[in-house]
Amino acid sequence: MSTAAVTDKSAGSSLRGGSLPTWSPWAIAAGSVVVAVGIGLAAGLHSKVQWGLIAAILFLLGTYAIATKVEGRRQAKDRIATSFVWVAFLLAVIPLVSLVWVTVSRGVKVLDIYFLTHSMGVVADSETGGGIYHALIGSLEQVGLATLIGAPIGVLTAIYLVEYGRGRLAQAVTFFVDVMTGIPSIVAGLFILSLMLILKMQPFGFAGSLALAILMMPVVVRSTEEMLKLVPNELREASLALGVPKWRTILKVVLPTSIGGITTGVMLAIARIAGETAPVLLLVFGNPFINNNPFEGAQASLPLYVYQQYAAGADPAYDRAWAASLTLIAFVMILNLVARGIARWKAPKSGR
């Protein structure tokens, strides 16, 4: 090797400086956990959450200090930014995993075929037995009716705002959609309840569906609107240039292109309303017996069932509440899987 090549190699090495090995983040994380546990035990901190927060702070400080010493301050800033992202990710995931673990571990105690196919009937809250069949039927009917009302209105409103909306009317619709997105669920329940009191009506399932539809519509409008905006204008222009009417362009080009995102948005809206308790408590009132008619008489629902069972304060009621919560999570998960399947099935086929 020539002297010039050796000189260039040594100069490049001096310019690059030192570098931490690929396993260094794991080593720093392990050391932070060990030190955090020691600090927690020495300080008398019994909460593992506190230990985790201390470990996260030590990990960030240790990463910055070691990287600054070995790689320089500029590279240390890059590593600390990456570490912040990982810490934030873990802080978001750990509570979620903990929630799912607790729900599954406590919900499987009484979750079986008997639990899914029987109602509370004459079973007292403090007694063992009973099930969620009446609540499951009520939730399916109420959420289904709310979807039949809210989803079409939300999608059509989004189509108007994106494809036709101009002027003050579109601005007013956009403003009220933004306002409705942030209203508490109890307000929607009170609105329907006031109408029921004026008309002197008794609690029934469809009233809850109306309140849930009010909560669902702004979510569908916002998600559908964003998906429609992602459709390239070139597709619209190409269709219109061929003489295709605008309504047919929307029906045959715009909607099929964005159907995956629209379906996902609708499923997110369903997932939101499926867990609402306040409107159902006001309007549906709850019923321990099976009521298959949502247009007459009080009904139950899964969120209301969970609330009532946990409020009962007995161990059998606690077990039923956790089992119903697990059922509700599984219900939402199945809906999301179905939505993904529909979105993939209806997505435009890409050619060569």
Side-chain angles (χ1 to χ4, degrees):
M1 185 180 295
S2 62
T3 306
V6 174
T7 305
D8 292 341
K9 185 175 180 180
S10 60
S13 301
S14 62
L15 288 175
R16 286 195 301 270
S19 178
L20 291 174
T22 55
W23 48 264
S24 59
W26 299 101
I28 297 173
S32 301
V33 171
V34 173
V35 175
V37 172
I39 294 174
L41 294 175
L45 302 177
H46 301 290
S47 175
K48 295 181 180 179
V49 175
Q50 295 174 325
W51 295 2
L53 293 176
I54 295 173
I57 295 173
L58 293 175
F59 174 71
L60 294 174
L61 295 177
T63 300
Y64 183 76
I66 296 174
T68 301
K69 185 174 182 61
V70 177
E71 299 177 330
R73 182 168 297 181
R74 184 175 181 179
Q75 187 65 22
K77 291 180 180 179
D78 179 75
R79 285 190 176 273
I80 198 67
T82 305
S83 300
F84 267 117
V85 172
W86 278 103
V87 170
F89 169 74
L90 291 176
L91 290 177
V93 168
I94 289 175
L96 177 62
V97 173
S98 176
L99 174 63
V100 173
W101 171 258
V102 172
T103 305
V104 172
S105 61
R106 300 194 62 173
V108 295
K109 292 182 179 179
V110 296
L111 184 59
D112 52 18
I113 298 299
Y114 177 88
F115 183 74
L116 295 174
T117 56
H118 287 75
S119 66
M120 291 302 294
V122 295
V123 179
D125 291 337
S126 58
E127 299 176 352
T128 58
I132 59 169
Y133 181 76
H134 60 302
L136 192 60
I137 292 297
S139 283
L140 290 175
E141 291 180 348
Q142 294 160 27
V143 173
L145 290 172
T147 304
L148 291 177
I149 297 171
I153 295 177
V155 171
L156 293 175
T157 302
I159 292 174
Y160 166 76
L161 292 176
V162 175
E163 304 293 339
Y164 297 99
R166 301 291 185 273
R168 294 184 177 180
L169 178 59
Q171 294 176 359
V173 173
T174 301
F175 172 76
F176 283 111
V177 168
D178 291 337
V179 172
M180 290 177 63
T181 303
I183 63 171
S185 59
I186 191 69
V187 175
L190 289 173
F191 172 70
I192 302 298
L193 180 62
S194 63
L195 298 179
M196 291 176 58
L197 294 176
I198 293 173
L199 299 175
K200 298 181 180 180
M201 303 175 67
Q202 298 296 321
F204 62 110
F206 185 66
S209 298
L210 293 176
L212 296 178
I214 294 175
L215 298 173
M216 182 181 188
M217 281 187 285
V219 180
V220 176
V221 172
R222 273 289 162 257
S223 60
T224 304
E225 190 177 0
E226 295 301 323
M227 291 300 106
L228 294 177
K229 289 180 180 178
L230 293 177
V231 178
N233 285 328
E234 288 79 4
L235 295 177
R236 297 181 176 90
E237 294 170 356
S239 178
L240 295 174
L242 294 174
V244 180
K246 188 167 185 176
W247 68 268
R248 194 171 182 85
T249 298
I250 296 172
L251 189 63
K252 295 294 185 179
V253 177
V254 178
L255 289 179
T257 304
S258 57
I259 189 65
I262 294 174
T263 305
T264 303
V266 171
M267 301 313 298
L268 289 175
I270 294 176
R272 184 206 169 180
I273 65 174
E276 293 291 346
T277 306
V280 178
L281 180 61
L282 288 175
L283 306 172
V284 180
F285 205 65
N287 188 352
F289 296 94
I290 299 172
N291 180 12
N292 294 320
N293 186 2
F295 299 98
E296 182 180 359
Q299 266 192 327
S301 73
L302 282 175
L304 182 58
Y305 179 89
V306 173
Y307 168 76
Q308 291 175 336
Q309 291 298 311
Y310 202 84
D315 289 337
Y318 288 152
D319 293 336
R320 288 191 292 264
W322 283 108
S325 301
L326 181 57
T327 305
L328 185 59
I329 292 175
F331 172 68
V332 174
M333 183 183 67
I334 291 172
L335 287 178
N336 280 276
L337 293 176
V338 171
R340 289 180 178 273
I342 294 175
R344 180 170 295 183
W345 175 44
K346 291 293 185 180
K349 303 299 185 293
S350 59
R352 292 186 177 181

